[in-house]
Amino acid sequence: MSNILTRIVSGAVFLIIILAALLLNRFLFAAVLLFVMVVMLHEFFTITMDNRFMVPRILAFLSAIALFVATFLICSEGISARWLAVAILPLLAMMCSSIHFLTKENFSSFAFLYAGLVYIALPLAGSNLVVFEGGEFNGLPLLCFLALIWASDVGAYAFGISFGQKPGRKKLCPSISPKKSWVGFWGGFFTTILVGVILGITGLFKYPLIHCVILSAIMNVAAVYGDLFESQWKRCYDVKDSGNIMPGHGGLLDRFDSAVVSIPAGVIYLLSVGLI
């Protein structure tokens, strides 16, 4: 009971912070997303590199922060996209620092710095494309994105636990996540579609209904892959949780593993059909 209560309280606090960031104002949104990004990068780097390469790691953090801030200002203030070049400067410095910090034996580990920037920093910086339209902040679309991701997770868990653990039921990817089943996948898939339709009908999604359905399907599949991808990293390094910042839940990478794949997939779809 103590662990369940801890999870409920921790999850409620997390939800309140996310809601406040998306519904109050753009600066709170930027502050919360920057914090989330830095913590997720720290968790990823700690899993893959322990405490090595601190100077290059700091430069990677600076590059990620510069990328987010530049994207935020481009979308909110309309500054020139040329300012994205600022994010390249610490990245170049990080590359140059490899001469002083690396040996033949640990050179391959340095690649995790680049992997973290692509895996975490780029998707979170791209979330600015969802919350700004014509320079005006509106966090509701990103909140709807998160609702689809949560629907995928809750639906997969509910159907998987209820019907997917019976003998003979095929597992989705047993080598990475033994408990995930195809029953759970399809349960999450149809739950996500249902939530997407509701968001479209109620007007929370400002897209035609057919696009709400397609968007929901794409984001569901991407969310599943995002979850499995992070599970694969943790299994490779024998780690149960990415961190302990959320008591009872683990780290922020555990909570946003689906989002860092699903949100970019949704943004790419909406861009491709001209809806953002």
Side-chain angles (χ1 to χ4, degrees), residues 45-70:
F45 292 152
T46 301
I47 290 173
T48 55
M49 298 186 298
D50 297 321
N51 293 316
R52 296 176 295 163
F53 313 133
M54 292 307 299
V55 171
R57 190 181 301 193
I58 291 172
L59 292 171
F61 284 130
L62 292 176
S63 182
I65 292 170
L67 175 64
F68 184 93
V69 171

PDB file of all heavy atoms in Angstrom, residues 45-70:
ATOM      1  N   PHE A  45      22.948   9.490 -20.259  1.00  0.00           N
ATOM      2  CA  PHE A  45      24.408   9.475 -20.225  1.00  0.00           C
ATOM      3  C   PHE A  45      24.928   8.624 -19.059  1.00  0.00           C
ATOM      4  O   PHE A  45      25.940   7.930 -19.188  1.00  0.00           O
ATOM      5  CB  PHE A  45      24.954  10.897 -20.099  1.00  0.00           C
ATOM      6  CG  PHE A  45      24.717  11.757 -21.320  1.00  0.00           C
ATOM      7  CD1 PHE A  45      24.606  13.137 -21.206  1.00  0.00           C
ATOM      8  CD2 PHE A  45      24.601  11.179 -22.575  1.00  0.00           C
ATOM      9  CE1 PHE A  45      24.394  13.917 -22.327  1.00  0.00           C
ATOM     10  CE2 PHE A  45      24.376  11.961 -23.712  1.00  0.00           C
ATOM     11  CZ  PHE A  45      24.280  13.330 -23.584  1.00  0.00           C
ATOM     12  N   THR A  46      24.238   8.682 -17.924  1.00  0.00           N
ATOM     13  CA  THR A  46      24.660   7.885 -16.766  1.00  0.00           C
ATOM     14  C   THR A  46      24.521   6.393 -17.046  1.00  0.00           C
ATOM     15  O   THR A  46      25.387   5.593 -16.684  1.00  0.00           O
ATOM     16  CB  THR A  46      23.848   8.265 -15.518  1.00  0.00           C
ATOM     17  OG1 THR A  46      24.025   9.661 -15.244  1.00  0.00           O
ATOM     18  CG2 THR A  46      24.295   7.453 -14.306  1.00  0.00           C
ATOM     19  N   ILE A  47      23.429   6.007 -17.701  1.00  0.00           N
ATOM     20  CA  ILE A  47      23.226   4.598 -18.049  1.00  0.00           C
ATOM     21  C   ILE A  47      24.320   4.112 -18.987  1.00  0.00           C
ATOM     22  O   ILE A  47      24.879   3.022 -18.804  1.00  0.00           O
ATOM     23  CB  ILE A  47      21.846   4.400 -18.708  1.00  0.00           C
ATOM     24  CG1 ILE A  47      20.721   4.589 -17.685  1.00  0.00           C
ATOM     25  CG2 ILE A  47      21.736   2.992 -19.332  1.00  0.00           C
ATOM     26  CD1 ILE A  47      19.341   4.586 -18.306  1.00  0.00           C
ATOM     27  N   THR A  48      24.645   4.902 -19.985  1.00  0.00           N
ATOM     28  CA  THR A  48      25.536   4.439 -21.050  1.00  0.00           C
ATOM     29  C   THR A  48      27.012   4.710 -20.793  1.00  0.00           C
ATOM     30  O   THR A  48      27.865   3.999 -21.320  1.00  0.00           O
ATOM     31  CB  THR A  48      25.153   5.104 -22.385  1.00  0.00           C
ATOM     32  OG1 THR A  48      25.156   6.530 -22.231  1.00  0.00           O
ATOM     33  CG2 THR A  48      23.765   4.656 -22.828  1.00  0.00           C
ATOM     34  N   MET A  49      27.317   5.757 -19.976  1.00  0.00           N
ATOM     35  CA  MET A  49      28.720   6.139 -19.811  1.00  0.00           C
ATOM     36  C   MET A  49      29.157   6.272 -18.362  1.00  0.00           C
ATOM     37  O   MET A  49      30.279   6.717 -18.094  1.00  0.00           O
ATOM     38  CB  MET A  49      28.977   7.462 -20.533  1.00  0.00           C
ATOM     39  CG  MET A  49      28.754   7.400 -22.033  1.00  0.00           C
ATOM     40  SD  MET A  49      29.243   8.930 -22.857  1.00  0.00           S
ATOM     41  CE  MET A  49      28.123  10.091 -22.106  1.00  0.00           C
ATOM     42  N   ASP A  50      28.306   5.939 -17.408  1.00  0.00           N
ATOM     43  CA  ASP A  50      28.613   6.133 -15.990  1.00  0.00           C
ATOM     44  C   ASP A  50      28.956   7.602 -15.743  1.00  0.00           C
ATOM     45  O   ASP A  50      28.210   8.474 -16.125  1.00  0.00           O
ATOM     46  CB  ASP A  50      29.750   5.206 -15.546  1.00  0.00           C
ATOM     47  CG  ASP A  50      29.365   3.744 -15.671  1.00  0.00           C
ATOM     48  OD1 ASP A  50      28.211   3.415 -15.364  1.00  0.00           O
ATOM     49  OD2 ASP A  50      30.209   2.927 -16.093  1.00  0.00           O
ATOM     50  N   ASN A  51      30.106   7.868 -15.124  1.00  0.00           N
ATOM     51  CA  ASN A  51      30.496   9.242 -14.810  1.00  0.00           C
ATOM     52  C   ASN A  51      31.680   9.717 -15.645  1.00  0.00           C
ATOM     53  O   ASN A  51      32.390  10.649 -15.263  1.00  0.00           O
ATOM     54  CB  ASN A  51      30.837   9.363 -13.322  1.00  0.00           C
ATOM     55  CG  ASN A  51      29.612   9.157 -12.440  1.00  0.00           C
ATOM     56  OD1 ASN A  51      28.542   9.683 -12.723  1.00  0.00           O
ATOM     57  ND2 ASN A  51      29.764   8.374 -11.391  1.00  0.00           N
ATOM     58  N   ARG A  52      31.875   9.113 -16.792  1.00  0.00           N
ATOM     59  CA  ARG A  52      33.004   9.481 -17.649  1.00  0.00           C
ATOM     60  C   ARG A  52      32.668  10.685 -18.530  1.00  0.00           C
ATOM     61  O   ARG A  52      31.506  11.023 -18.710  1.00  0.00           O
ATOM     62  CB  ARG A  52      33.404   8.292 -18.533  1.00  0.00           C
ATOM     63  CG  ARG A  52      33.929   7.081 -17.754  1.00  0.00           C
ATOM     64  CD  ARG A  52      34.193   5.922 -18.693  1.00  0.00           C
ATOM     65  NE  ARG A  52      32.950   5.435 -19.305  1.00  0.00           N
ATOM     66  CZ  ARG A  52      32.895   4.676 -20.388  1.00  0.00           C
ATOM     67  NH1 ARG A  52      34.017   4.348 -21.008  1.00  0.00           N
ATOM     68  NH2 ARG A  52      31.741   4.260 -20.864  1.00  0.00           N
ATOM     69  N   PHE A  53      33.731  11.313 -19.049  1.00  0.00           N
ATOM     70  CA  PHE A  53      33.620  12.380 -20.049  1.00  0.00           C
ATOM     71  C   PHE A  53      32.756  13.553 -19.560  1.00  0.00           C
ATOM     72  O   PHE A  53      31.848  14.001 -20.250  1.00  0.00           O
ATOM     73  CB  PHE A  53      33.023  11.845 -21.362  1.00  0.00           C
ATOM     74  CG  PHE A  53      33.630  10.574 -21.855  1.00  0.00           C
ATOM     75  CD1 PHE A  53      32.830   9.528 -22.282  1.00  0.00           C
ATOM     76  CD2 PHE A  53      35.003  10.403 -21.892  1.00  0.00           C
ATOM     77  CE1 PHE A  53      33.376   8.344 -22.741  1.00  0.00           C
ATOM     78  CE2 PHE A  53      35.563   9.230 -22.353  1.00  0.00           C
ATOM     79  CZ  PHE A  53      34.755   8.198 -22.775  1.00  0.00           C
ATOM     80  N   MET A  54      33.049  14.077 -18.379  1.00  0.00           N
ATOM     81  CA  MET A  54      32.216  15.124 -17.812  1.00  0.00           C
ATOM     82  C   MET A  54      32.279  16.418 -18.627  1.00  0.00           C
ATOM     83  O   MET A  54      31.252  17.076 -18.821  1.00  0.00           O
ATOM     84  CB  MET A  54      32.623  15.394 -16.358  1.00  0.00           C
ATOM     85  CG  MET A  54      32.305  14.237 -15.414  1.00  0.00           C
ATOM     86  SD  MET A  54      30.561  13.695 -15.501  1.00  0.00           S
ATOM     87  CE  MET A  54      29.694  15.163 -14.995  1.00  0.00           C
ATOM     88  N   VAL A  55      33.457  16.801 -19.094  1.00  0.00           N
ATOM     89  CA  VAL A  55      33.561  18.040 -19.880  1.00  0.00           C
ATOM     90  C   VAL A  55      32.799  17.917 -21.202  1.00  0.00           C
ATOM     91  O   VAL A  55      31.971  18.793 -21.531  1.00  0.00           O
ATOM     92  CB  VAL A  55      35.037  18.417 -20.118  1.00  0.00           C
ATOM     93  CG1 VAL A  55      35.137  19.576 -21.115  1.00  0.00           C
ATOM     94  CG2 VAL A  55      35.711  18.792 -18.809  1.00  0.00           C
ATOM     95  N   PRO A  56      33.014  16.860 -22.000  1.00  0.00           N
ATOM     96  CA  PRO A  56      32.198  16.706 -23.210  1.00  0.00           C
ATOM     97  C   PRO A  56      30.710  16.588 -22.904  1.00  0.00           C
ATOM     98  O   PRO A  56      29.872  17.058 -23.689  1.00  0.00           O
ATOM     99  CB  PRO A  56      32.736  15.413 -23.844  1.00  0.00           C
ATOM    100  CG  PRO A  56      34.112  15.268 -23.303  1.00  0.00           C
ATOM    101  CD  PRO A  56      34.047  15.826 -21.919  1.00  0.00           C
ATOM    102  N   ARG A  57      30.386  15.999 -21.769  1.00  0.00           N
ATOM    103  CA  ARG A  57      28.973  15.861 -21.406  1.00  0.00           C
ATOM    104  C   ARG A  57      28.347  17.233 -21.142  1.00  0.00           C
ATOM    105  O   ARG A  57      27.213  17.493 -21.559  1.00  0.00           O
ATOM    106  CB  ARG A  57      28.836  14.972 -20.167  1.00  0.00           C
ATOM    107  CG  ARG A  57      27.420  14.567 -19.859  1.00  0.00           C
ATOM    108  CD  ARG A  57      27.321  13.706 -18.622  1.00  0.00           C
ATOM    109  NE  ARG A  57      28.095  12.485 -18.723  1.00  0.00           N
ATOM    110  CZ  ARG A  57      27.971  11.456 -17.886  1.00  0.00           C
ATOM    111  NH1 ARG A  57      27.101  11.522 -16.888  1.00  0.00           N
ATOM    112  NH2 ARG A  57      28.718  10.389 -18.024  1.00  0.00           N
ATOM    113  N   ILE A  58      29.078  18.111 -20.458  1.00  0.00           N
ATOM    114  CA  ILE A  58      28.589  19.472 -20.215  1.00  0.00           C
ATOM    115  C   ILE A  58      28.376  20.202 -21.534  1.00  0.00           C
ATOM    116  O   ILE A  58      27.378  20.919 -21.725  1.00  0.00           O
ATOM    117  CB  ILE A  58      29.576  20.241 -19.317  1.00  0.00           C
ATOM    118  CG1 ILE A  58      29.549  19.658 -17.897  1.00  0.00           C
ATOM    119  CG2 ILE A  58      29.221  21.730 -19.278  1.00  0.00           C
ATOM    120  CD1 ILE A  58      30.614  20.219 -16.979  1.00  0.00           C
ATOM    121  N   LEU A  59      29.282  20.009 -22.475  1.00  0.00           N
ATOM    122  CA  LEU A  59      29.138  20.627 -23.795  1.00  0.00           C
ATOM    123  C   LEU A  59      27.910  20.080 -24.525  1.00  0.00           C
ATOM    124  O   LEU A  59      27.218  20.820 -25.237  1.00  0.00           O
ATOM    125  CB  LEU A  59      30.403  20.389 -24.622  1.00  0.00           C
ATOM    126  CG  LEU A  59      31.655  21.116 -24.125  1.00  0.00           C
ATOM    127  CD1 LEU A  59      32.892  20.631 -24.870  1.00  0.00           C
ATOM    128  CD2 LEU A  59      31.498  22.619 -24.282  1.00  0.00           C
ATOM    129  N   ALA A  60      27.622  18.800 -24.337  1.00  0.00           N
ATOM    130  CA  ALA A  60      26.415  18.210 -24.927  1.00  0.00           C
ATOM    131  C   ALA A  60      25.162  18.836 -24.313  1.00  0.00           C
ATOM    132  O   ALA A  60      24.194  19.138 -25.029  1.00  0.00           O
ATOM    133  CB  ALA A  60      26.405  16.699 -24.721  1.00  0.00           C
ATOM    134  N   PHE A  61      25.170  19.059 -22.996  1.00  0.00           N
ATOM    135  CA  PHE A  61      24.053  19.734 -22.340  1.00  0.00           C
ATOM    136  C   PHE A  61      23.855  21.140 -22.912  1.00  0.00           C
ATOM    137  O   PHE A  61      22.729  21.560 -23.193  1.00  0.00           O
ATOM    138  CB  PHE A  61      24.288  19.829 -20.829  1.00  0.00           C
ATOM    139  CG  PHE A  61      24.058  18.549 -20.080  1.00  0.00           C
ATOM    140  CD1 PHE A  61      25.009  18.078 -19.186  1.00  0.00           C
ATOM    141  CD2 PHE A  61      22.903  17.813 -20.252  1.00  0.00           C
ATOM    142  CE1 PHE A  61      24.800  16.898 -18.485  1.00  0.00           C
ATOM    143  CE2 PHE A  61      22.688  16.632 -19.553  1.00  0.00           C
ATOM    144  CZ  PHE A  61      23.643  16.181 -18.665  1.00  0.00           C
ATOM    145  N   LEU A  62      24.964  21.866 -23.079  1.00  0.00           N
ATOM    146  CA  LEU A  62      24.882  23.228 -23.611  1.00  0.00           C
ATOM    147  C   LEU A  62      24.321  23.237 -25.026  1.00  0.00           C
ATOM    148  O   LEU A  62      23.514  24.109 -25.387  1.00  0.00           O
ATOM    149  CB  LEU A  62      26.264  23.881 -23.577  1.00  0.00           C
ATOM    150  CG  LEU A  62      26.832  24.194 -22.189  1.00  0.00           C
ATOM    151  CD1 LEU A  62      28.246  24.745 -22.307  1.00  0.00           C
ATOM    152  CD2 LEU A  62      25.935  25.184 -21.450  1.00  0.00           C
ATOM    153  N   SER A  63      24.733  22.268 -25.834  1.00  0.00           N
ATOM    154  CA  SER A  63      24.219  22.172 -27.196  1.00  0.00           C
ATOM    155  C   SER A  63      22.720  21.901 -27.193  1.00  0.00           C
ATOM    156  O   SER A  63      21.963  22.510 -27.956  1.00  0.00           O
ATOM    157  CB  SER A  63      24.954  21.059 -27.955  1.00  0.00           C
ATOM    158  OG  SER A  63      24.510  20.987 -29.292  1.00  0.00           O
ATOM    159  N   ALA A  64      22.274  21.008 -26.310  1.00  0.00           N
ATOM    160  CA  ALA A  64      20.850  20.683 -26.217  1.00  0.00           C
ATOM    161  C   ALA A  64      20.038  21.883 -25.756  1.00  0.00           C
ATOM    162  O   ALA A  64      18.961  22.184 -26.308  1.00  0.00           O
ATOM    163  CB  ALA A  64      20.654  19.512 -25.252  1.00  0.00           C
ATOM    164  N   ILE A  65      20.535  22.589 -24.749  1.00  0.00           N
ATOM    165  CA  ILE A  65      19.826  23.772 -24.233  1.00  0.00           C
ATOM    166  C   ILE A  65      19.747  24.855 -25.303  1.00  0.00           C
ATOM    167  O   ILE A  65      18.699  25.479 -25.505  1.00  0.00           O
ATOM    168  CB  ILE A  65      20.530  24.303 -22.969  1.00  0.00           C
ATOM    169  CG1 ILE A  65      20.364  23.284 -21.825  1.00  0.00           C
ATOM    170  CG2 ILE A  65      19.963  25.658 -22.560  1.00  0.00           C
ATOM    171  CD1 ILE A  65      21.218  23.589 -20.607  1.00  0.00           C
ATOM    172  N   ALA A  66      20.878  25.077 -26.014  1.00  0.00           N
ATOM    173  CA  ALA A  66      20.890  26.082 -27.079  1.00  0.00           C
ATOM    174  C   ALA A  66      19.907  25.727 -28.185  1.00  0.00           C
ATOM    175  O   ALA A  66      19.215  26.600 -28.727  1.00  0.00           O
ATOM    176  CB  ALA A  66      22.304  26.218 -27.646  1.00  0.00           C
ATOM    177  N   LEU A  67      19.815  24.440 -28.509  1.00  0.00           N
ATOM    178  CA  LEU A  67      18.874  23.991 -29.544  1.00  0.00           C
ATOM    179  C   LEU A  67      17.440  24.265 -29.124  1.00  0.00           C
ATOM    180  O   LEU A  67      16.633  24.777 -29.916  1.00  0.00           O
ATOM    181  CB  LEU A  67      19.069  22.498 -29.805  1.00  0.00           C
ATOM    182  CG  LEU A  67      18.076  21.845 -30.788  1.00  0.00           C
ATOM    183  CD1 LEU A  67      18.231  22.456 -32.174  1.00  0.00           C
ATOM    184  CD2 LEU A  67      18.284  20.335 -30.831  1.00  0.00           C
ATOM    185  N   PHE A  68      17.104  23.940 -27.877  1.00  0.00           N
ATOM    186  CA  PHE A  68      15.735  24.161 -27.406  1.00  0.00           C
ATOM    187  C   PHE A  68      15.404  25.654 -27.362  1.00  0.00           C
ATOM    188  O   PHE A  68      14.342  26.075 -27.837  1.00  0.00           O
ATOM    189  CB  PHE A  68      15.526  23.547 -26.021  1.00  0.00           C
ATOM    190  CG  PHE A  68      14.108  23.655 -25.530  1.00  0.00           C
ATOM    191  CD1 PHE A  68      13.208  22.629 -25.759  1.00  0.00           C
ATOM    192  CD2 PHE A  68      13.662  24.791 -24.877  1.00  0.00           C
ATOM    193  CE1 PHE A  68      11.887  22.729 -25.335  1.00  0.00           C
ATOM    194  CE2 PHE A  68      12.344  24.913 -24.452  1.00  0.00           C
ATOM    195  CZ  PHE A  68      11.461  23.873 -24.681  1.00  0.00           C
ATOM    196  N   VAL A  69      16.314  26.452 -26.785  1.00  0.00           N
ATOM    197  CA  VAL A  69      16.049  27.882 -26.640  1.00  0.00           C
ATOM    198  C   VAL A  69      15.920  28.544 -28.012  1.00  0.00           C
ATOM    199  O   VAL A  69      15.021  29.373 -28.236  1.00  0.00           O
ATOM    200  CB  VAL A  69      17.161  28.553 -25.813  1.00  0.00           C
ATOM    201  CG1 VAL A  69      17.010  30.070 -25.841  1.00  0.00           C
ATOM    202  CG2 VAL A  69      17.122  28.051 -24.369  1.00  0.00           C
ATOM    203  N   ALA A  70      16.798  28.187 -28.952  1.00  0.00           N
ATOM    204  CA  ALA A  70      16.727  28.760 -30.296  1.00  0.00           C
ATOM    205  C   ALA A  70      15.408  28.394 -30.969  1.00  0.00           C
ATOM    206  O   ALA A  70      14.744  29.244 -31.582  1.00  0.00           O
ATOM    207  CB  ALA A  70      17.913  28.281 -31.130  1.00  0.00           C
TER     208      ALA A  70
END
